[in-house]
Amino acid sequence: MTKRVVITRLLCTLLCALALLFPAHAFAQTEELSWDQLFRTQIGEWKNTIVAQDPQFGEWKNAEMEVQTLGANQHQWLISLSLGNKQVGYMVVGEVASVEKQKKFVLLEYGLGEYILFDDAFAPREVAAEPVYDGFASHWLVTLPQAKQVVDAKTGERYLSSTRPDDSIMCTLQEQDLATAGQKLLASRIIRPDETDPFDNISWFTPLVLSETEVPPSQLTWDELWQRKSDQMTLAVRLYHAEVLSPYSIASLHLWNDQKSYIGVWDDGLRFLPYAYANKVGKIHIQ
């Protein structure tokens, strides 16, 4: 009798332990699936609203999406869109704490064309290459035996060994600067439908140089930019502690819910970034 009691108690203990273990595991798995479903639903909604409002994104309509994580613990994801064997664009999505202290998905950047950010075709071959996203300054940071090297995330260009990244500008943006979950693209304006080389007209260069020694001109407000009729506008950006000068021809403007604005530039395809970010890193020149 005593042996049966002992065995029964051991069996009960084991069953209780299993009962406690499996529900917890099932809950964790359900929670993870819910996050993944929420994420994929949101990027699908953003994809659809961009297609609906901007005819330039027609190829996105039937494109398949592939998700990859950018860096460790950065809460950023690259979504590449492909149609058949052809890349047709990308999105960069982040996760930030909202005013309600809840995590929210935000749209950091999106682009149209064959050449996406962090494309494997341009990735450095070194094993220790970390993808770092920061708008125009996005790069791979390659660890070499004697130093670190910056490799451009769009073109694969290797900068000088002395080149050092700036402190992240993109991470300083607030929730009110970015399209968030549930928001839609409301209006778009195409300024230059064809890709243009900003070096075809370098009138933007002199004001940029003068602004280093004189009081820089006030930046255009979004309303002023939207109403300008010129199709000759350039966004000139200084990167990596002003060692790299990157001019971009302005191509399109996008307006989302709650006045969330994005500026589109030509850069081997179209790149849309928050106007609040563009104001921090560059100056707009109108020819």
Side-chain angles (χ1 to χ4, degrees):
M1 179 67 69
T2 303
K3 289 182 179 180
R4 288 182 180 177
V5 171
V6 171
I7 292 173
T8 302
R9 287 176 178 173
L10 287 173
L11 183 59
C12 288
T13 302
L14 178 60
L15 290 173
C16 288
L18 290 173
L20 290 171
L21 176 63
F22 281 103
H25 175 72
F27 175 77
Q29 189 175 33
T30 302
E31 187 178 34
E32 182 179 349
L33 288 174
S34 297
W35 185 95
D36 184 69
Q37 290 172 348
L38 184 63
F39 179 81
R40 290 184 179 275
T41 297
Q42 183 53 64
I43 60 177
E45 289 178 357
W46 280 331
K47 168 177 169 279
N48 292 337
T49 189
I50 293 171
V51 170
Q53 279 292 345
D54 192 334
Q56 298 176 111
F57 285 80
E59 286 189 307
W60 273 31
K61 185 174 182 180
N62 299 313
E64 296 182 354
M65 297 184 292
E66 181 180 345
V67 180
Q68 70 180 73
T69 302
L70 291 178
N73 301 316
Q74 293 185 35
H75 298 277
Q76 296 171 343
W77 298 268
L78 173 68
I79 298 92
S80 58
L81 292 97
S82 59
L83 198 59
N85 296 322
K86 177 187 176 184
Q87 295 274 8
V88 294
Y90 67 94
M91 288 185 277
V92 180
V93 175
E95 193 177 40
V96 300
S98 68
V99 292
E100 300 89 3
K101 307 301 181 183
Q102 300 294 322
K103 289 289 186 180
K104 272 191 176 180
F105 296 123
V106 290
L107 189 54
L108 299 175
E109 179 177 337
Y110 49 101
L112 176 67
E114 182 180 355
Y115 301 106
I116 67 172
L117 294 179
F118 301 104
D119 194 325
D120 289 341
F122 300 108
R125 300 306 172 199
E126 291 85 353
V127 176
E130 177 189 2
V132 179
Y133 176 74
D134 190 29
F136 291 124
S138 297
H139 60 273
W140 284 281
L141 190 60
V142 179
T143 301
L144 301 174
Q146 302 299 326
K148 291 182 181 290
Q149 186 173 43
V150 173
V151 179
D152 189 272
K154 189 75 188 284
T155 65
E157 178 185 0
R158 289 176 178 265
Y159 294 117
L160 298 174
S161 58
S162 60
T163 303
R164 292 290 177 267
D166 300 291
D167 292 337
S168 175
I169 300 297
M170 190 64 74
C171 71
T172 65
L173 300 185
Q174 304 297 313
E175 180 190 345
Q176 61 265 25
D177 300 321
L178 304 161
T180 56
Q183 294 187 324
K184 296 181 180 295
L185 180 61
L186 300 179
S188 66
R189 179 191 166 201
I190 298 175
I191 295 172
R192 291 197 70 104
D194 301 314
E195 186 151 9
T196 308
D197 187 343
F199 288 100
D200 289 344
N201 181 339
I202 60 170
S203 60
W204 50 266
F205 183 75
T206 301
L208 184 72
V209 173
L210 289 176
S211 69
E212 293 296 306
T213 55
E214 300 176 0
V215 177
S218 58
Q219 190 66 287
L220 291 173
T221 67
W222 174 257
D223 288 340
E224 290 172 337
L225 181 61
W226 186 274
Q227 293 168 14
R228 288 296 177 104
K229 301 302 182 183
S230 174
D231 63 353
Q232 300 277 338
M233 294 189 279
T234 303
L235 174 65
V237 178
R238 290 183 180 274
L239 305 170
Y240 305 110
H241 299 282
E243 286 187 14
V244 177
L245 172 62
S246 295
Y248 303 94
S249 295
I250 297 176
S252 302
L253 304 175
H254 278 177
L255 182 64
W256 292 69
N257 287 100
D258 300 330
Q259 301 298 305
K260 310 292 180 67
S261 49
Y262 286 70
I263 184 169
V265 300
W266 288 113
D267 183 23
D268 289 322
L270 271 175
R271 295 181 71 176
F272 283 83
L273 295 106
Y275 188 60
Y277 167 79
N279 264 336
K280 287 176 179 284
V281 300
K283 292 293 180 184
I284 292 174
H285 176 71
I286 300 177
Q287 287 93 319

